[in-house]
């Protein structure tokens, strides 16, 4: 008989795990919202999936998306000085998670994965743990459900370092070559412009990361879509003129009434396993590895850890599932979690001089510019550039 696995949460980590595990195990997913509620609800993220994440999605035969206009580059500007456009080795893609999650859920249901629409409360954990061979906590930033211990070494902040202000817009002429534009305004925040795919077609995401209570923290208390749009337009005009120039005033609008979001994340890294009533439980994704979105790594890290958890479970398929399995999973992923986390935390602070010099060098040399673009696809390179002061 196949072992029974329960996944709580159907986001990036939970869905990829369901795809990966469904052939070797009996998989049941508990999700807080139906596909229909997800599709018609509020946007959740900006979700750029880089090459290695897309390779994993193909490996586990996840749905294919319209990628006629993939993300090919990273445009870097500091202040009002455009430094360079670095080309990515592999195309990236941002698919609206409302569309992505609901499509994956329906596809998995058709492939015999059981879905139960139920928000799991802590009181239910005992019964779940008893019923299944393994419970995987994929509850994202609202988690974790279990008390996985915080790894203090990787959790230096007590408060969020940025306010995330996101809207999906129509009426912006895309940048060229199509890519993510990163504009750093030292001491006050950043803007990320991201081309994305939604169920209704292409949009441009404008994603402001404002240092709390500094000049760019302009959206306090805004809950209304029209007010949000007006504020985004004036903010682009005053702080991001290169983006503002590409806005078509007549057609500039949110792509739908739920296409805006404000959130602030307090980064927190936890040990992703524990024994609960003498049985192993594990965590995957934001529930245990919650970083600030500033480096766009959350989905990519969730996908990486999902694949590594799958590999660990396959290795232990015919062995006992206990603390040893949990430790093996954590040992596999810890180096990568460390690289992503330390780089991301460093990006929320003033950039070190040697990193600024590296960015300036990218303006003079296309090979260096391409290597810097690759930081986002391969965070190990970014970690080296920040912490080993390697000259790229
Ligand atoms: C503003 C913003 C921008 C971002 N931009 C990027 C980016 O550009 N690139 C990138 O890689 N990452 C980005 N991220 C991070 C990325 O969205 C997350 O890291 C990623 O979605 C994490 O996947 P997950 O499966 O752990 O959690 P999620 O995708 O959040 O999924 C968790 C799921 O669990 C469900 N759930 C929660 N509690 C329960 C419960 N008790 N019972 C049942 N279900 C439950 C939720 O409803 C949800 O469906 C961004 C995040 C934010 C907030």
């Amino acid at each position: 008989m196949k072992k029974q696995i329960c996944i709580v949460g159907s986001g990036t980590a939970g869905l990829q795990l369901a795809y990966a595990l469904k052939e070797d195990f009996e998989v049941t997913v508990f999700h807080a919202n139906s596909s229909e509620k997800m599709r018609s609800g509020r946007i959740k993220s900006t979700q750029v999936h880089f090459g290695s994440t897309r390779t994993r999605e193909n490996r586990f035969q996840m749905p294919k998306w319209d990628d006629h206009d993939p993300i090919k580059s990273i445009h870097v500007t500091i202040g009002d000085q455009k430094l360079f456009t670095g080309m990515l080795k592999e195309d990236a893609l941002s698919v609206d998670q409302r569309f992505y999650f609901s499509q994956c859920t329906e596809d998995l249901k058709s492939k015999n994965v059981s879905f139960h629409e139920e928000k799991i409360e802590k009181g239910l954990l005992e019964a779940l743990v008893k019923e299944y061979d393994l419970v995987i906590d994929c509850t994202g930033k609202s988690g974790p459900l279990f008390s996985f211990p915080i790894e203090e070494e990787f959790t230096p902040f007590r408060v969020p370092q940025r306010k995330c202000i996101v809207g999906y817009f129509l009426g912006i002429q895309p940048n060229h070559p199509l890519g993510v534009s990163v504009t750093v305004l030292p001491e006050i925040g950043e803007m990320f412009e991201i081309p994305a795919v939604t169920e209704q077609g292409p949009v441009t995401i404008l994603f402001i990361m404002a240092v709390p209570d500094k000049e760019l923290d302009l959206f306090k208390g805004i809950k209304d879509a029209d007010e949000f749009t007006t504020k985004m337009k004036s903010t682009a005009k005053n702080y991001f003129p290169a983006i503002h120039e590409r806005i078509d005033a007549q057609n500039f609008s949110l792509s739908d009434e739920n296409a805006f979001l404000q959130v602030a994340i307090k980064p927190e890294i936890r040990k992703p396993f524990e024994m609960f009533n003498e049985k192993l439980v594990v965590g995957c994704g934001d529930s245990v590895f919650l970083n600030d979105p500033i480096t766009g790594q959350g989905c990519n890290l969730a996908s990486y850890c999902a694949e590594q958890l799958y590999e660990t479970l396959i290795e232990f398929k015919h062995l006992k599932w206990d603390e040893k399995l949990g430790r093996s999973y954590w040992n596999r992923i810890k180096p990568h979690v460390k690289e992503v986390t330390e780089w991301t935390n460093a990006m929320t602070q003033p950039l070190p001089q040697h990193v600024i010099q590296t960015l300036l060098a990218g303006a003079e040399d296309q090979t260096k510019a391409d290597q810097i673009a690759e930081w986002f696809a391969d965070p190990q390179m970014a970690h080296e550039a920040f912490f080993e002061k390697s000259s790229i």
Side-chain angles (χ1 to χ4, degrees), residues 9 11-13 32 45-48 97 101 120 139-140 142 285-286 296 298-300:
T12 316
S45 180
T46 70
Q47 72 268 318
V48 180
Q97 286 186 341
F101 292 175
I120 299 296
T139 51
S142 61
D286 279 3
C299 294
N300 299 283

Side-chain angles (χ1 to χ4, degrees), residues 248 273 314:
D248 165 6
F273 69 96
I314 292 296

Side-chain angles (χ1 to χ4, degrees), residues 198-215:
T198 69
E199 194 166 2
Q200 288 72 36
V203 298
T204 304
I205 298 176
L206 294 183
F207 177 12
I208 293 174
M209 303 222 58
V211 176
D213 300 324
K214 292 284 174 77
E215 209 179 317

Side-chain angles (χ1 to χ4, degrees), residues 2 5 7 15-27 60-62 107-114 310:
K2 288 181 177 177
I5 295 181
I7 297 171
L15 291 167
Q16 191 184 302
L17 273 167
Y19 274 97
L21 298 170
K22 69 181 170 34
E23 306 301 332
D24 295 274
F25 307 101
E26 288 294 331
V27 177
F60 297 121
Q61 294 170 5
M62 297 180 72
D107 184 44
L108 281 165
K109 281 184 190 167
S110 76
K111 292 175 174 151
N112 291 327
V113 173
S114 305
Y310 160 75

